[in-house]
Amino acid sequence: MYKSFLKRVSDIFMSFLAIVILALPMAIIALLIKIDSKGPVFFKQKRIGKNKKTFYILKFRTMRTDAPKDAPTHTLQDPKKWITKIGGFLRKTSIDELPQIFNIFVGHMSVVGPRPALWNQDDLIAERDKYGANELRPGLTGWAQINGRDELPIPIKARLDGEYAERLNGGFFKGIFLDVRCIFGTVFSVLRSDGVVEGASAEAVATAEEKTEEVV
């Protein structure tokens, strides 16, 4: 009952409450972004949703408009040269993720679930298929996010997403407890900036460049 009904009800309630409470702070952030650099306030990017249907995720724009497209930032060789002044702060504090409360409200995402993969992250999508993780709504945060975030290799990240999917099927109270644990774990991870990687190895850079060329 929790997974099939109450989880979605709680998503709607929490996202609506967040929209009301954070409307003014988000308006101020939007103004700071416009003052800091040219370009739109929001950054939209195609992601993989529930049952591998695509949607456009919303974030506050933290990078210059000429930054490489459709490549995870942690795979870029020198990401700092693309990140704006206000963007660095927004990313470090994860405030750039706040607009995703609108994705949650309309049903593209959940508060807790596997983080939505880029549409061209075929390796991650394929790994998640092994565990049934692609059958869930992607989340603002998730089990993998409180166990490593960007530092995790794809096979481990997918396995953790699958572990979350399996445990979510464990019953009403187990599902609620798991989501609450993820939410509180996220708060502590964000405060410590755990697992955030802004850079890449030579191998990762090569992969990112290949994906960028595919998009172009």
Side-chain angles (χ1 to χ4, degrees):
M1 184 178 179
Y2 174 70
K3 177 184 175 182
S4 60
F5 178 69
L6 289 182
K7 183 173 172 64
R8 177 62 190 144
V9 172
S10 65
D11 284 339
I12 294 172
F13 174 75
M14 287 190 286
S15 58
F16 177 75
L17 190 64
I19 289 169
V20 173
I21 293 174
L22 298 174
L24 181 57
M26 287 198 296
I28 294 172
I29 293 168
L31 180 61
L32 292 174
I33 291 171
K34 292 297 289 186
I35 293 173
D36 185 42
S37 63
K38 294 181 180 179
V41 169
F42 296 111
F43 170 71
K44 295 194 299 182
Q45 191 175 56
K46 190 192 293 187
R47 296 290 181 110
I48 300 297
K50 183 179 179 181
N51 296 321
K52 294 192 282 190
K53 293 181 179 179
T54 59
F55 72 99
Y56 284 91
I57 197 172
L58 284 177
K59 292 187 179 186
F60 282 123
R61 181 176 59 83
T62 61
M63 304 183 78
R64 290 164 24 193
T65 54
D66 59 342
K69 302 293 189 292
D70 292 314
T73 309
H74 66 272
T75 63
L76 300 178
Q77 188 170 20
D78 185 15
K80 290 184 179 180
K81 75 176 183 180
W82 304 109
I83 298 173
T84 63
K85 292 178 181 178
I86 185 68
F89 170 75
L90 296 179
R91 295 170 75 90
K92 184 176 181 180
T93 56
S94 294
I95 291 175
D96 61 315
E97 310 282 357
L98 282 183
Q100 288 162 50
I101 57 178
F102 295 104
N103 289 119
I104 295 170
F105 185 72
V106 301
H108 295 148
M109 295 175 60
S110 179
V111 174
V112 181
R115 280 298 294 165
L118 282 165
W119 65 272
N120 59 358
Q121 282 184 294
D122 298 327
D123 46 0
L124 177 57
I125 297 167
E127 282 293 316
R128 283 177 171 172
D129 267 337
K130 298 177 182 178
Y131 303 102
N134 288 319
E135 298 172 9
L136 302 176
R137 279 192 179 88
L140 180 64
T141 187
W143 187 239
Q145 277 55 56
I146 65 171
N147 285 285
R149 297 178 75 177
D150 294 338
E151 292 178 343
L152 295 173
I154 282 175
I156 296 177
K157 184 181 293 186
R159 180 175 57 78
L160 286 168
D161 291 332
E163 189 176 301
Y164 172 79
E166 183 179 353
R167 295 175 68 174
L168 196 63
N169 290 323
F172 182 82
F173 291 107
K174 284 186 178 181
I176 292 177
F177 176 76
L178 182 61
D179 278 1
V180 170
R181 184 176 175 183
C182 287
I183 290 169
F184 278 96
T186 299
V187 172
F188 291 115
S189 292
V190 168
L191 290 176
R192 297 192 301 262
S193 296
D194 286 347
V196 177
V197 178
E198 301 282 27
S201 65
E203 182 181 355
V205 171
T207 301
E209 288 173 348
E210 288 171 5
K211 288 186 176 181
T212 303
E213 289 171 0
E214 289 173 4
V215 174
V216 174

